[in-house]
Amino acid sequence: MAEIRNYTMNFGPQHPAAHGVLRLVLEMDGETVVRADPHVGLLHRATEKLAESKPFNQSIGYLDRLDYMSMMCNEHAYVRAIEELLGIEPPPRAQYIRTMFDELTRFSNHLLWIASCGIDLGAMTVFLYAFREREMVMDMYEAVSGARMHAAYYRPGGVYRDLPESIAPYKESRWTKGKDLKRRNEWREGSLLDFIEAFAKDVPSKIDEYETLLTNNRIWKQRTVGIGVVSPEKALQMGYSGVMLRGSGIEWDLRKKQPYAMYDQVDFDVPVGVGGDCYDRYLVRVEELRQSAKIILQCVDWLKKNPGHVMLKNFKVIPPTREEMKDDMEALIHHFKLFTEGYCVPAGETYCAVEAPKGEFGCYLVSDGANKPFRVHFRAPGFAHLSSMNELARGHMLADTVAIISTLDLVFGEVDR
Amino acid sequence: MSEPTKAISELFASRFGERVKLGPMVGGIVSAEVEVESWLEVCRILRDEDEFGFEQLTDLCGVDYLSFGQSEWDTDDVSQEGFSRGVEGLGPGRFNWADRPEAAGVKQRFGVVVHLLSFRNNHRLRLRCFAPDEGMPIVPSLVEIWSSANWYEREAFDLFGIVFEGHPDLRRIMTDYGFTGHPFRKDFPLIGNVAVRYDPQKKRVVYEPVEIEPRVGVPRVLRDDSRYKADEVDQAAEATAGQIASDDAATGEQEDQNG
């Protein structure tokens, strides 16, 4: 009789459903996964060590490149940690801008998730739909920071600059012209806040479109219902956070439980799943899209009514404006000092976490009183989620691992750091 | 979240006594230092007893305390050398493998820092445990207590060389297959040790000693002056100004009387 052996195979690191550079070593018994061993670190850039060799502000750009799908949320955790050690608090307008952009970031992250998860499980159309809206969030990023993704917009003491009074319209081109051009530029005639408001008011109807494509879709449900089930106890034990936790029925959201920025001033609900499977996590994310739109509208409303500073006036930490430098010697000295040496952060340690779209993104910062961090460690949600891959995938079919990887919402920039 | 933290520090003192040293509280998180002997026991109590109830290990990381509080630029004394003082020396990241600093005999060099989260009490807690032997840092593994510690401990082992006793699968996780050294240690050069490139002659990827020079632009500076305590400085200045004013007034009155 022929000997039957388990078959070991590589899933990735160059696999479209591996969401980047995941090498998953799968031990298969026919089509069934017996053991899954993720090999990570292929995108390891030693961000934490690099941060130790630079003044505090110069590392903000690295934070964008950790979870490169939710850039500003990462910045938020780091910037908050610095602010906490310095003992400064940004002005309320900056806090509202941060809240709004955190939600826009959540929006763009979940849109990308729904798009890529759809494409992984064979639903092509939702990809095109979601990228249509995501493009607008990228435009908002560009309007405030000049960069579509890697914004470096949040700074200790506030945000880099106030929201602009205009947003770049589409120019006429071979692809965009006539009626089409007019339609696309309709929202872009006023300020950025007008654009965001028009977007957030319109977007629930767009979310309905995604739901028409997926929520009751028979194939979608066959691929996700009952796949990758996590019990609440397991979810806690395995270090889950964010949607992975809420999908399993634990009502836990840092925005509600340990509020930061202006989350205690805005009204929103926290969706919770029941079954803890891939389908519930999908439902939770879709509902979070709707809640984000709600928060964004409240922030827009406040920001329109309350102009003011978006940065503290503390030259020991925050560089003066160009105009001030032109005719104030003191400002010039501060500018020189801040850009050559940076500011020193009082000795101490802190841990600041934000509810990033993927879960709890934390920043553990140790300072010994120098102008560079002594040690900084980023707690990435995806790292904890991926570490449970073996438990999740065991006993499932090979095709289901794709669904599981997808709903973990992994980005290897943050897993590998 | 700030309310119950005061209670928890009292709870700590009564439950653990000498075994746990409490540190200062920043941002509503209690920080505690645990001896390596009671590491597992304390953690088990923290998870199991209702009053603590730390169901989740949120984060675990290693810290290398070598060169803690050292600067590359002496800011206390005045000298004639100016800015050039700042760019000499082999501070963090400014050395290559051959010139790496001596790290022998540093007490309490490697620490393991754990962040715990209690969902039912909405608390956070930071625990720190120092490895007793800096040459071969060994700390008991927490995988038995919180399974989420698994990969975090692998990471700390990989990057700092901290060995977690009792870990079921202590392999490297972040670095390359076949990597030597522990890159996040403070005596590991920032530029690394080997460079990798594709060799067209050999038709494969080759590893070579790294050729680039270490280059860190900004010197590491510690400043203990009170520049960040703007409020205190202002208050002190106002107080002195007030003092001088009242002194002046008093002497003025005296002079008037004398006159």
Side-chain angles (χ1 to χ4, degrees):
Chain A
M1 202 175 102
E3 190 190 355
I4 300 172
R5 278 183 304 155
N6 283 348
Y7 188 72
T8 308
M9 60 178 271
N10 268 321
F11 182 99
Q14 300 289 339
H15 190 286
H19 287 234
V21 285
L22 168 66
R23 179 181 170 206
L24 198 58
V25 181
L26 294 173
E27 199 180 312
M28 308 292 295
D29 177 13
E31 270 290 286
T32 316
V33 178
V34 180
R35 199 173 64 91
D37 179 19
H39 286 213
V40 301
L42 286 104
L43 205 60
H44 180 60
R45 294 146 297 175
T47 306
E48 295 163 10
K49 188 163 176 105
L50 281 170
E52 287 171 14
S53 71
K54 289 181 167 45
F56 284 89
N57 268 18
Q58 288 186 17
S59 302
I60 297 176
Y62 285 131
L63 269 291
D64 295 317
R65 287 152 181 84
L66 288 180
D67 179 357
Y68 45 79
M69 288 306 146
S70 42
M71 297 67 80
M72 289 201 194
C73 290
N74 308 346
E75 290 171 23
H76 203 163
Y78 180 59
V79 162
R80 270 186 67 218
I82 299 172
E83 280 167 358
E84 200 156 292
L85 283 182
L86 280 170
I88 57 175
E89 196 165 310
R93 189 174 165 85
Q95 299 272 36
Y96 267 102
I97 293 178
R98 284 183 185 179
T99 312
M100 184 172 79
F101 268 93
D102 272 13
E103 289 312 308
L104 284 169
T105 307
R106 189 178 320 279
F107 215 93
S108 101
N109 178 79
H110 283 0
L111 283 179
L112 187 102
W113 173 79
I114 209 170
S116 60
C117 190
I119 221 163
D120 283 348
L121 303 186
M124 180 77 195
T125 320
V126 69
F127 179 85
L128 301 170
Y129 278 28
F131 266 63
R132 179 187 59 193
E133 270 74 59
R134 189 166 176 272
E135 185 61 26
M136 294 191 206
V137 181
M138 295 288 105
D139 284 349
M140 294 166 197
Y141 261 59
E142 192 177 353
V144 291
S145 70
R148 281 162 54 84
M149 294 182 79
H150 302 305
Y153 180 54
Y154 296 1
R155 305 286 165 92
V159 293
Y160 175 58
R161 60 175 187 180
D162 206 348
L163 303 169
E165 282 305 306
S166 63
I167 178 157
Y170 281 98
K171 288 200 182 107
E172 191 169 324
S173 71
R174 272 170 62 198
W175 300 277
T176 333
K177 56 190 171 197
K179 246 187 187 168
D180 193 32
L181 180 71
K182 208 169 159 218
R183 179 185 58 79
R184 293 179 84 170
N185 280 339
E186 208 174 13
W187 291 352
R188 294 164 186 255
E189 277 156 15
S191 69
L192 174 64
L193 278 174
D194 293 333
F195 179 63
I196 295 176
E197 189 176 18
F199 170 80
K201 276 192 175 144
D202 176 66
V203 95
S205 69
K206 297 287 174 11
I207 300 169
D208 291 342
E209 287 181 10
Y210 315 145
E211 286 217 75
T212 338
L213 287 173
L214 296 179
T215 306
N216 290 319
N217 182 329
R218 195 157 60 98
I219 304 171
W220 180 257
K221 284 179 105 168
Q222 280 170 347
R223 291 298 303 274
T224 54
V225 175
I227 305 295
V229 179
V230 188
S231 69
E233 299 77 34
K234 265 264 164 66
L236 288 180
Q237 178 65 216
M238 296 194 290
Y240 280 10
S241 55
V243 176
M244 295 298 292
L245 205 56
R246 291 193 284 276
S248 297
I250 297 175
E251 197 200 336
W252 180 265
D253 190 319
L254 292 178
R255 294 174 295 170
K256 284 273 189 213
K257 300 286 180 182
Q258 298 171 9
Y260 53 96
M262 285 296 174
Y263 280 112
D264 48 353
Q265 303 291 316
V266 290
D267 173 45
F268 65 100
D269 297 321
V270 178
V272 174
V274 182
D277 58 359
C278 290
Y279 187 67
D280 277 26
R281 296 196 276 272
Y282 155 75
L283 291 178
V284 169
R285 285 196 175 100
V286 169
E287 186 53 32
E288 280 193 6
L289 282 175
R290 293 183 196 279
Q291 296 300 327
S292 287
K294 202 167 140 189
I295 300 174
I296 292 165
L297 280 176
Q298 293 171 53
C299 292
V300 169
D301 188 45
W302 191 94
L303 286 166
K304 279 193 166 174
K305 286 181 195 148
N306 298 280
H309 289 298
V310 293
M311 211 37 152
L312 282 180
K313 283 264 171 209
N314 179 350
F315 285 169
K316 300 298 175 197
V317 182
I318 289 114
T321 61
R322 252 205 118 84
E323 295 84 60
E324 279 167 313
M325 266 166 59
K326 299 283 183 196
D327 56 17
D328 184 3
M329 190 63 199
E330 197 78 353
L332 190 67
I333 295 169
H334 280 119
H335 181 273
F336 176 76
K337 253 343 218 180
L338 282 171
F339 281 92
T340 52
E341 185 184 300
Y343 48 83
C344 294
V345 168
E349 54 182 348
T350 186
Y351 177 84
C352 278
V354 296
E355 183 73 31
K358 294 180 172 63
E360 178 180 324
F361 187 91
C363 172
Y364 172 54
L365 183 65
V366 184
S367 172
D368 57 351
N371 57 343
K372 304 172 181 181
F374 180 76
R375 166 97 171 105
V376 51
H377 175 73
F378 300 112
R379 190 264 179 210
F383 189 73
H385 295 160
L386 184 60
S387 71
S388 65
M389 192 62 208
N390 187 29
E391 303 234 352
L392 279 178
R394 200 188 304 139
H396 279 297
M397 305 297 258
L398 175 61
D400 294 335
T401 52
V402 174
I404 292 168
I405 294 173
S406 240
T407 51
L408 291 178
D409 199 4
L410 297 168
V411 158
F412 280 84
E414 62 156 15
V415 173
D416 295 346
R417 279 157 289 148
Chain B
M1 193 178 100
S2 54
E3 275 303 307
T5 37
K6 190 149 189 74
I8 204 168
S9 28
E10 282 162 18
L11 204 61
F12 255 91
S14 60
R15 184 68 182 79
F16 298 112
E18 287 297 296
R19 278 181 296 176
V20 175
K21 272 181 276 175
L22 282 183
M25 191 205 302
V26 179
I29 302 181
V30 180
S31 180
E33 205 179 303
V34 184
E35 293 292 322
V36 73
E37 292 82 30
S38 40
W39 182 235
L40 283 179
E41 189 198 344
V42 167
C43 285
R44 211 176 289 276
I45 292 171
L46 287 174
R47 183 194 65 179
D48 290 340
E49 291 189 2
D50 267 352
E51 49 201 11
F52 299 110
F54 291 101
E55 299 107 325
Q56 192 180 71
L57 179 140
T58 320
D59 186 27
L60 182 148
C61 70
V63 183
D64 178 0
Y65 281 92
L66 181 71
S67 80
F68 187 83
Q70 287 172 18
S71 65
E72 297 171 83
W73 192 359
D74 187 16
T75 55
D76 296 330
D77 302 314
V78 184
S79 85
Q80 299 292 313
E81 289 159 61
F83 195 78
S84 64
R85 281 178 297 167
V87 287
E88 286 161 15
L90 297 174
R94 290 162 169 273
F95 51 86
N96 55 28
W97 184 252
D99 302 327
R100 64 188 186 278
E102 287 289 317
V106 179
K107 287 275 165 265
Q108 295 206 317
R109 184 176 163 196
F110 293 106
V112 174
V113 177
V114 170
H115 286 92
L116 303 178
L117 177 59
S118 162
F119 285 78
R120 60 188 109 134
N121 303 328
N122 198 4
H123 288 171
R124 280 184 196 277
L125 175 70
R126 179 183 308 123
L127 290 181
R128 187 193 328 270
C129 174
F130 281 103
D133 179 4
E134 66 281 352
M136 179 67 178
I138 301 176
V139 171
S141 166
L142 296 178
V143 177
E144 293 270 295
I145 303 173
W146 293 286
S147 61
S148 58
N150 189 330
W151 274 27
Y152 289 115
E153 288 183 350
R154 278 178 69 186
E155 189 191 346
F157 162 70
D158 187 1
L159 303 178
F160 288 95
I162 301 169
V163 178
F164 292 90
E165 208 172 14
H167 191 288
D169 181 24
L170 201 62
R171 283 177 293 156
R172 285 184 179 269
I173 185 165
M174 285 299 174
T175 50
D176 198 358
Y177 302 111
F179 190 87
T180 44
H182 300 289
F184 277 26
R185 288 187 172 189
K186 292 281 180 182
D187 55 354
F188 192 93
L190 185 66
I191 55 166
N193 199 7
V194 287
V196 58
R197 71 173 175 91
Y198 178 74
D199 190 325
Q201 263 109 51
K202 291 180 186 161
K203 296 206 164 154
R204 63 179 172 87
V205 169
V206 290
Y207 289 81
E208 290 165 343
V210 69
E211 274 178 9
I212 51 170
E213 290 292 310
R215 186 175 70 90
V216 173
V218 182
R220 189 177 163 81
V221 179
L222 262 80
R223 291 193 187 274
D224 303 320
D225 50 20
S226 49
R227 61 173 73 186
Y228 303 107
K229 297 166 190 156
D231 297 344
E232 287 173 35
V233 175
D234 289 348
Q235 276 170 14
E238 267 171 39
T240 6
Q243 188 72 39
I244 292 165
S246 62
D247 285 355
D248 280 355
T251 43
E253 275 169 28
Q254 269 184 351
E255 275 165 16
D256 284 350
Q257 280 170 1
N258 293 343

